[in-house]
Amino acid sequence: MREKMEIFVPGRLCLFGEHSDWAGWYTNIDASVCPGKAIVTGINLGIHASVERSERFEISSINKEGKKVTFSCEMEEEQLLRYAEENGFFSYCCGVASYIMENYRVSGISISIDKVTLPIAKGLSSSAAICVLVARAFNRLYRLRLSTNGEMSAAYYGELRTGSRCGRLDQACAYGIRPVSMIFDGSDIKVQKLKVEKNLYWVFADLMSKKDTKRILNDLNKCYPFVKDEKEQMVHDALGKDNIAIITKAEEAITRGDAVEIGKIMQEAQALFDQKIAPASPEQLKAPKLHEILDDPKVKELSCGGKGVGSQGDGAVQLIAETEEKQEALVKYLNERGLQAFPFTIPSSHSVRKAVIPLAGFGTRMYPETRFVKKAFLPVFDEKGQVKPVIMCLLEELDDAGMEEIILIVGEEDLEAYREIFDNPLSEEHLSKLPSRARSYEMRMSRIKKKLRYVVQKERRGFGHAVYQALEYVGGDPVLLTLGDFVYRSKEAMSCVEQTVEAFKQNAGTLTVSVKPVPLDQVMHYGVLTGSFESKEHKILKATGMVEKPTVDYAEDYLGVEMFGKDQFFATFGLYVLTPKVFELLGEEIRKADEEGSQEEIQLTTVLNRICEEDGLIGVNIKGESYDVGIPRAYYETMCITGKLGEKDD
């Protein structure tokens, strides 16, 4: 059976710095030209496709009229290049395929585009998205080991084979739904991922008017490479030093998640464009429809600011709102005005405010105790020697780490048991008999109770399936995952949860797995990561792979970590910070299993490995211990150890 993969590539939007990509190329000719710089982001609209290997190059899609169209040809370089130059419906795809064929040893692929939510020719780089999709399909199916930059380059050079005058920032959609800062210095491109402290609520709208992008580019390119008059000097300044100043401020505001400040900078950028760039192409860049929308009192009321999109002109407008509610109202208003408006949100890249605890297991290894008491309610000692259920140790640590929502994945038969404990306060009589410390604890439980959300897992189809049940509450946010049968004890001021979240923050929102060192004879009990540490402190492990419960022989041969030889390996500690892509890929795995009628369990490790290969994954070496309560012997040792810790603290 051929390997089949699901791929989603978003459209991209240039937030700041349009035209600076091609302008920056002219530093190759004139050293006085300032390098270009832009901030670009992927959006939640894009192209969904299924891909698999084939002997030919095959692609099917839906055209503008909603009809299915197909293409097929031999996987032969000259033939692909000829189709690319014909400027047909599938020319971009053929251009990328010919580039891949020229540079890599591959056979063909079959691409079935299942859904397109991306508007065509509206400044969101639909052509770049399809080019990235083709490059990514070859990369994944043939394991070419291209980085994201490599996929982006293949897409760019492939699109150029069609005669397209695409900009060099278009293929930034390869980086997914996240903002990146790009520098264009001659032929060199540097990309830096931007952190985002808070969700940012944007609106994109098609102005339902027209512009001539080729005319705009022709007019502006006449100003390069050498300045001949004052008008051309203004264009050089606006796309050079003035643009750099705006981008610098915008990077800081986006990192802070400051929508109000971003709106002001957008207005400043639009004013600069109108003053210094528009005169070079006055017929196309006067843009009366764009300015009518930007000056609309209702738009000003609902947004913090806005500006044109892409090459500018009367093509599209982008706006930023301060809240999700204003974003929704703005979309509604613009649509009522006859535009086509779409919301998109840039999620916080490293603020973790939600946590998930899977609790739906039957606890069979702890039977018969779990016939009477759910595993999550088994008693353990806390660091002060108090006896409390496992679930409360977890909830307290999550509460202390600032989690605002805690999603409990429970079995259908257990929902009422959890609700009865957390939703029903003690009677006044019972409270009155408690010491003051215990009454204070009841108040804390009452506060934690407000953060709890319950999700019922009706089927047990593996750990990955359990995690996926939280999708409704997780949305597009990063989320902390903690196992329901572990308790954690830190050896430093920051808790184990806080150490994990901090590593996620410091590493630009990269998928994060907490790890701990284990001897070789223990590897078969854990998920084991391999890779290399980035510093001599051995804090952050740049992972290259992860294997669930490997054999001793396999771990010894393949899972070693540089500098630790074969004596020490790094196993999962029980805490993870999952990115939105985890849930996207889990959904793919579940749908694939449903279509094939597979009874195999959906494993989280499968998805983590895929993200590790495509986007990167880090392990954070936790200064602390995790104690298991899910196995009788481990639970006994946990009770003995935590009990002694409590005695020591007392």
Side-chain angles (χ1 to χ4, degrees):
M1 186 174 175
R2 293 190 297 184
E3 182 182 19
K4 196 171 186 178
M5 295 182 179
E6 305 294 325
I7 294 179
F8 168 74
V9 176
R12 73 98 186 102
L13 187 64
C14 179
L15 302 179
F16 295 93
E18 53 275 317
H19 294 298
S20 70
D21 54 339
W22 60 259
W25 180 87
Y26 282 106
T27 63
N28 283 322
I29 301 172
D30 181 358
S32 68
V33 173
C34 184
K37 192 170 186 181
I39 299 176
V40 188
T41 186
I43 64 172
N44 55 332
L45 305 172
I47 302 174
H48 302 255
S50 305
V51 301
E52 58 186 337
R53 290 193 185 192
S54 174
E55 292 303 314
R56 298 170 60 82
F57 182 62
E58 304 168 333
I59 185 165
S60 64
S61 184
I62 305 296
N63 65 14
K64 294 180 181 179
E65 289 73 41
K67 296 180 180 179
K68 185 174 182 179
V69 287
T70 61
F71 174 85
S72 178
C73 75
E74 295 293 332
M75 194 62 189
E76 196 273 324
E77 187 183 337
E78 289 186 8
Q79 189 176 158
L80 287 166
L81 189 57
R82 186 170 67 252
Y83 282 121
E85 294 170 346
E86 287 180 356
N87 198 27
F89 190 79
F90 294 107
S91 291
Y92 293 120
C93 303
C94 292
V96 178
S98 71
Y99 177 84
I100 294 289
M101 187 69 184
E102 180 184 330
N103 291 279
Y104 301 94
R105 297 180 63 181
V106 296
S107 296
I109 58 173
S110 176
I111 300 174
S112 175
I113 296 177
D114 307 313
K115 183 170 65 172
V116 179
T117 57
L118 188 62
I120 306 300
K122 298 300 180 183
L124 297 177
S125 288
S126 53
S127 61
I130 189 65
C131 289
V132 169
L133 190 149
V134 174
R136 183 160 292 169
F138 277 110
N139 187 28
R140 292 183 182 175
L141 289 171
Y142 288 97
R143 294 173 174 81
L144 303 180
R145 298 191 178 278
L146 294 176
S147 64
T148 304
N149 264 340
E151 290 180 345
M152 189 171 74
S153 294
Y156 172 67
Y157 288 114
E159 184 169 350
L160 288 182
R161 295 184 172 206
T162 69
S164 166
R165 296 186 65 182
C166 61
R168 294 183 298 161
L169 57 73
D170 291 355
Q171 288 74 25
C173 56
Y175 284 90
I177 306 174
R178 65 172 66 179
V180 295
S181 179
M182 306 179 73
I183 296 176
F184 308 96
D185 190 356
S187 300
D188 294 333
I189 301 177
K190 295 180 181 178
V191 180
Q192 179 183 357
K193 300 172 187 176
L194 296 181
K195 301 176 182 179
V196 182
E197 291 282 355
K198 301 175 184 176
N199 287 357
L200 292 171
Y201 303 102
W202 301 78
V203 172
F204 168 88
D206 180 357
L207 293 170
M208 306 304 289
S209 187
K210 61 182 181 179
K211 66 175 182 178
D212 187 338
T213 300
K214 288 186 177 179
R215 175 69 181 277
I216 293 170
L217 290 172
N218 282 334
D219 289 344
L220 297 185
N221 267 278
K222 291 176 183 176
C223 301
Y224 286 83
F226 304 106
V227 172
K228 297 183 287 294
D229 55 34
E230 184 180 353
K231 182 179 68 175
E232 294 185 357
Q233 184 63 58
M234 287 197 302
V235 173
H236 277 243
D237 290 344
L239 297 181
K241 61 183 181 65
D242 296 341
N243 177 60
I244 295 291
I246 283 178
I247 296 290
T248 301
K249 290 190 290 186
E251 287 174 334
E252 295 173 357
I254 288 172
T255 299
R256 295 196 307 270
D258 189 341
V260 173
E261 182 62 21
I262 293 169
K264 292 178 181 177
I265 299 169
M266 291 172 78
Q267 292 172 328
E268 180 184 348
Q270 185 63 53
L272 173 68
F273 192 93
D274 293 339
Q275 178 190 355
K276 292 189 174 183
I277 300 177
S281 184
E283 290 183 17
Q284 293 298 319
L285 296 179
K286 186 176 180 181
K289 189 66 179 288
L290 170 65
H291 289 90
E292 178 189 338
I293 295 300
L294 292 176
D295 293 336
D296 185 310
K298 187 68 173 178
V299 171
K300 288 183 175 181
E301 175 191 333
L302 294 173
S303 72
C304 302
K307 61 187 289 293
V309 171
S311 58
Q312 288 251 10
D314 269 343
V317 64
Q318 57 176 310
L319 302 148
I320 188 166
E322 192 169 6
T323 65
E324 188 173 9
E325 292 73 23
K326 288 187 176 181
Q327 179 193 48
E328 292 173 357
L330 186 56
V331 168
K332 181 180 179 183
Y333 174 71
L334 292 174
N335 284 332
E336 288 172 349
R337 281 208 51 173
L339 309 187
Q340 288 184 353
F342 308 90
F344 71 95
T345 299
I346 297 178
S348 165
S349 59
H350 56 232
S351 294
V352 183
R353 293 290 179 263
K354 298 178 182 179
V356 174
I357 311 178
L359 298 166
F362 290 112
T364 53
R365 291 181 295 185
M366 293 293 285
Y367 185 88
E369 175 63 15
T370 46
R371 190 186 191 286
F372 305 96
V373 179
K374 294 300 300 178
K375 187 167 59 175
F377 298 136
L378 290 172
V380 293
F381 291 100
D382 71 6
E383 66 279 1
K384 296 180 180 178
Q386 295 176 306
V387 180
K388 61 182 63 167
V390 171
I391 187 67
M392 283 311 303
C393 293
L394 293 174
L395 293 177
E396 287 174 28
E397 186 156 348
L398 295 173
D399 181 47
D400 288 339
M403 297 298 130
E404 296 170 0
E405 284 188 82
I406 303 171
I407 300 109
L408 306 183
I409 312 296
V410 301
E412 210 167 3
E413 68 282 358
D414 300 325
L415 179 60
E416 289 308 313
Y418 283 96
R419 288 196 179 280
E420 184 177 352
I421 289 174
F422 289 110
D423 293 354
N424 295 324
L426 292 179
S427 67
E428 289 296 327
E429 181 183 8
H430 194 162
L431 274 173
S432 67
K433 297 184 182 299
L434 293 176
S436 59
R437 184 176 68 172
R439 287 197 295 271
S440 297
Y441 192 77
E442 277 296 307
M443 293 177 64
R444 183 175 191 186
M445 280 190 64
S446 179
R447 185 180 76 248
I448 290 175
K449 176 191 73 175
K450 296 176 182 177
K451 299 184 176 186
L452 300 183
R453 310 287 183 266
Y454 299 97
V455 177
V456 173
Q457 184 183 10
K458 296 182 179 180
E459 301 176 272
R460 271 76 166 189
R461 297 174 59 186
F463 186 44
H465 182 265
V467 172
Y468 186 72
Q469 304 311 300
L471 177 66
E472 177 185 353
Y473 285 109
V474 169
D477 298 327
V479 61
L480 180 88
L481 170 67
T482 177
L483 306 184
D485 47 10
F486 276 78
V487 291
Y488 309 99
R489 295 289 162 77
S490 177
K491 294 180 179 178
E492 60 176 41
M494 294 178 69
S495 70
C496 297
V497 166
E498 289 169 332
Q499 290 179 53
T500 306
V501 170
E502 185 62 23
F504 179 76
K505 289 181 180 180
Q506 295 298 323
N507 287 274
T510 302
L511 178 62
T512 301
V513 178
S514 60
V515 297
K516 64 180 179 181
V518 296
L520 179 61
D521 61 3
Q522 295 294 310
V523 294
M524 72 289 296
H525 301 303
Y526 302 95
V528 178
L529 277 72
T530 185
S532 59
F533 280 99
E534 294 187 332
S535 67
K536 61 182 180 181
E537 289 78 19
H538 303 138
K539 180 68 175 178
I540 300 299
L541 176 71
K542 188 173 182 180
T544 55
M546 177 178 176
V547 177
E548 191 67 31
K549 298 179 179 177
T551 63
V552 168
D553 289 343
Y554 185 90
E556 190 172 22
D557 289 341
Y558 300 108
L559 301 179
V561 173
E562 187 179 351
M563 297 179 65
F564 289 90
K566 298 181 179 180
D567 300 321
Q568 191 167 276
F569 296 79
F570 287 86
T572 50
F573 184 84
L575 296 167
Y576 310 73
V577 180
L578 306 181
T579 57
K581 188 171 181 178
V582 171
F583 290 87
E584 176 189 329
L585 297 185
L586 283 173
E588 288 182 12
E589 292 290 322
I590 292 169
R591 287 189 293 274
K592 180 180 177 182
D594 290 343
E595 290 170 2
E596 297 176 353
S598 173
Q599 300 301 310
E600 291 187 10
E601 291 190 338
I602 307 299
Q603 296 298 345
L604 181 63
T605 303
T606 303
V607 167
L608 297 187
N609 262 318
R610 182 168 162 185
I611 293 178
C612 180
E613 182 178 332
E614 295 172 7
D615 303 323
L617 179 153
I618 63 164
V620 52
N621 191 7
I622 298 294
K623 293 182 179 178
E625 299 290 345
S626 58
Y627 300 103
D628 195 346
V629 299
I631 303 172
R633 181 67 188 177
Y635 178 60
Y636 172 76
E637 293 173 354
T638 295
M639 289 292 285
C640 293
I641 293 170
T642 57
K644 290 178 181 178
L645 289 175
E647 290 174 6
K648 182 179 179 180
D649 289 340
D650 285 348

